[in-house]
Amino acid sequence: MPSNLRTWIEIDKKAYLHNLKFLQQNFKGPIISSVIKGNAYGHGIEQIIPLAQEGGINHFSVFSLDEACRAYSVKNKTSTLMIMGFIPHDSYEWVIEHDIQFFVYNASSLLQAVKAAKKVRKKAKVHLEIETGMNRTGLDDDYLDKSLKIISDNNKHIDLIGVCTHFAGAESIANHVRIKRQIINFNRNLTLIKKRGFTPKLIHMASSAATIVYPRTRKDLVRTGILQYGFWPSYETRMSFMQRFKHGIDPLRRVLSWKSTVMHVKTVEPGEFISYGTAYFAHEKKKIAIVPVGYSDGFNRALSNNGRVLVHGKIAPVIGLVNMNMLIADITSIKNVKAGDEVVLIGKQKNNTIQVSSFSEFTQQINYELLTRLPDTIPRLIKN
Ligand SMILES: *Cc1c(COP(=O)(O)O)cnc(C)c1O
């Protein structure tokens, strides 16, 4: 593997394509929009889009304009981009000019879009995001009314192609009543919109969790994030799938591995402390490997004296405090470790695997958070 890199992330192409096939086979009908916000959940926007297109995906969802710019520069001409969140006021012209679809959740951004559409002489393609109970973005009833009027008055400039909403936690059974209420609210609003003579062709509400737990929310499009990367939104979602589909084993494959190399090896005598302060005391003679990855790379400081890495396919505990740029692994029981040997922080090495979920036991981070906090600056390499 790359000998010139300090740390890198490997993207397993076969595993990713396998997951896409899983989605395509199990969720037939709706358009599958690949959600690539948060740097494609840490996997890399520039790396994931070409693979997704190879796997037959041609719809992508991002959170904000900056992500849309990155996605736009790598996607095929025929793929559709949709911004689900933030667009700066002065950027609607660029968005409309480049045929990028976007959520509208207040009347003022709709007016902004009308103005921009007139200027660039192109129709804005909007999805009305309805407030159904999440109480975040989403048009409240009175604003919905106002927005529909703006759209009618400007039908030369605005194309209402979608109506959507987002659930307040479909991955947890504790939210079941709230989700059901959201579905009812959504359908009520949709009826109203259709009564006014609109015929939006893309009705959508489901993220990964709802796609599995509430199959009737799949509608015309599903916004699938975490599943495509081989992770479940929650244990409950996984259980729900296993029961519904009578699957014994996890049908998803993890796509991302995170690696580094041993930078230095040394022996520490009994009675010494290792690394900063007194967090780790060597009761016996210790052999340690210094790894050039620290909390500035997203390796959480809460993993001090808690985490583990793989060296020569064996588990090496992280000892002492995680530093800004380095961590220390206990390799006392692993033979012949030398500078330059591969270290696995996430993923498989020989017969052992470090799971993303193992981090959350010490850091309280959910898999979404750990993945998206992996810095953009770590190189992403495709493993074919
Ligand atoms: C992040 C997000 C999704 C995807 O969520 P997953 O749980 O990763 O599938 C879908 N819709 C919206 C509005 C989102 O913000």
Side-chain angles (χ1 to χ4, degrees):
M1 263 297 138
S3 57
N4 57 336
L5 293 177
R6 177 175 65 82
T7 182
W8 66 95
I9 283 167
E10 285 175 19
I11 302 300
D12 184 337
K13 176 175 171 178
K14 281 204 190 79
Y16 182 68
L17 292 177
H18 165 91
N19 294 340
L20 290 185
K21 200 166 268 166
F22 167 81
L23 298 176
Q24 288 155 339
Q25 284 170 352
N26 284 283
F27 313 140
K28 286 202 183 93
I31 294 171
I32 295 175
S33 182
S34 162
V35 178
I36 51 164
K37 65 188 182 190
N39 197 25
Y41 293 48
H43 293 63
I45 287 179
E46 288 77 7
Q47 286 75 16
I48 286 296
I49 288 180
L51 297 185
Q53 289 175 159
E54 208 179 311
I57 299 289
N58 53 25
H59 198 288
F60 296 94
S61 298
V62 296
F63 171 69
S64 52
L65 178 81
D66 51 316
E67 293 172 339
C69 290
R70 283 173 64 187
Y72 188 83
S73 66
V74 290
K75 77 173 187 69
N76 287 342
K77 282 251 170 337
T78 49
S79 289
T80 303
L81 252 183
M82 179 166 85
I83 301 177
M84 304 185 292
F86 183 72
I87 302 173
H89 278 308
D90 61 0
S91 300
Y92 283 93
E93 288 174 28
W94 187 86
V95 170
I96 296 164
E97 221 172 354
H98 291 81
D99 269 328
I100 297 167
Q101 308 183 359
F102 53 96
F103 284 19
V104 163
Y105 40 82
N106 57 41
S108 75
S109 57
L110 194 54
L111 290 170
Q112 209 92 35
V114 170
K115 213 166 111 192
K118 281 180 184 162
K119 196 148 173 208
V120 300
R121 294 162 191 255
K122 223 169 171 177
K123 268 187 156 180
K125 296 176 174 167
V126 310
H127 296 246
L128 282 185
E129 189 195 357
I130 309 297
E131 178 57 74
T132 56
M134 168 92 170
N135 292 316
R136 193 175 65 180
T137 47
L139 290 158
D140 298 312
D141 288 354
D142 47 341
Y143 276 117
L144 176 62
D145 227 46
K146 208 165 157 188
S147 300
L148 291 175
K149 179 144 191 345
I150 295 171
I151 295 172
S152 305
D153 292 349
N154 294 280
N155 59 13
K156 281 201 203 70
H157 308 293
I158 300 279
D159 199 353
L160 178 61
I161 60 171
V163 176
C164 58
T165 195
H166 188 56
F167 294 124
E171 73 283 354
S172 173
I173 194 77
N175 301 325
H176 182 74
V177 172
R178 193 168 169 200
I179 303 299
K180 286 284 182 191
R181 200 172 293 145
Q182 283 191 273
I183 296 172
I184 292 167
N185 284 342
F186 183 77
N187 288 333
R188 182 174 49 78
N189 278 298
L190 190 59
T191 307
L192 190 141
I193 291 168
K194 284 181 174 165
K195 257 194 200 139
R196 298 278 184 86
F198 295 99
T199 51
K201 61 178 192 287
L202 293 177
I203 308 304
H204 53 110
M205 55 212 304
S207 60
S208 292
T211 304
I212 289 178
V213 185
Y214 304 94
R216 289 170 67 185
T217 64
R218 286 177 199 160
K219 308 288 180 191
D220 303 311
L221 179 147
V222 290
R223 305 183 304 259
T224 318
I226 197 115
L227 282 176
Q228 65 182 307
Y229 307 107
F231 297 93
W232 296 91
S234 64
Y235 288 116
E236 287 167 42
T237 318
R238 179 171 165 175
M239 282 300 292
S240 169
F241 175 82
M242 300 280 191
Q243 285 176 348
R244 202 182 302 262
F245 293 79
K246 307 260 184 289
H247 248 284
I249 51 163
D250 191 342
L252 299 175
R253 292 203 206 143
R254 310 288 183 265
V255 174
L256 176 146
S257 306
W258 183 17
K259 298 184 177 175
S260 183
T261 72
V262 173
M263 151 185 191
H264 186 55
V265 173
K266 78 162 64 190
T267 305
V268 180
E269 294 301 322
E272 293 286 321
F273 292 105
I274 296 176
S275 179
Y276 288 121
T278 53
Y280 189 85
F281 178 74
H283 286 281
E284 50 187 18
K285 193 166 172 171
K286 283 285 168 196
K287 214 169 73 187
I288 58 174
I290 319 300
V291 182
V293 170
Y295 57 77
S296 69
D297 299 299
F299 199 95
N300 202 300
R301 223 169 146 270
L303 296 166
S304 299
N305 275 332
N306 267 334
R308 50 218 157 187
V309 300
L310 298 177
V311 182
H312 293 189
K314 300 208 168 68
I315 292 169
V318 172
I319 59 175
L321 298 176
V322 173
N323 301 173
M324 184 192 292
N325 310 105
M326 287 180 269
L327 61 83
I328 293 154
D330 182 352
I331 50 161
T332 310
S333 61
I334 309 173
K335 287 202 178 67
N336 300 324
V337 177
K338 55 186 190 313
D341 289 355
E342 184 188 83
V343 176
V344 169
L345 308 160
I346 294 174
K348 197 167 151 71
Q349 195 184 47
K350 293 192 180 154
N351 294 324
N352 270 312
T353 304
I354 308 268
Q355 308 267 14
V356 166
S357 59
S358 74
F359 283 70
S360 63
E361 294 177 11
F362 299 111
T363 64
Q364 316 300 322
Q365 280 179 325
I366 56 171
N367 49 17
Y368 292 83
E369 183 179 355
L370 183 133
L371 292 166
T372 53
R373 275 172 174 256
L374 292 171
D376 289 7
T377 47
I378 300 178
R380 268 79 173 167
L381 313 174
I382 309 287
K383 196 178 106 209
N384 281 299

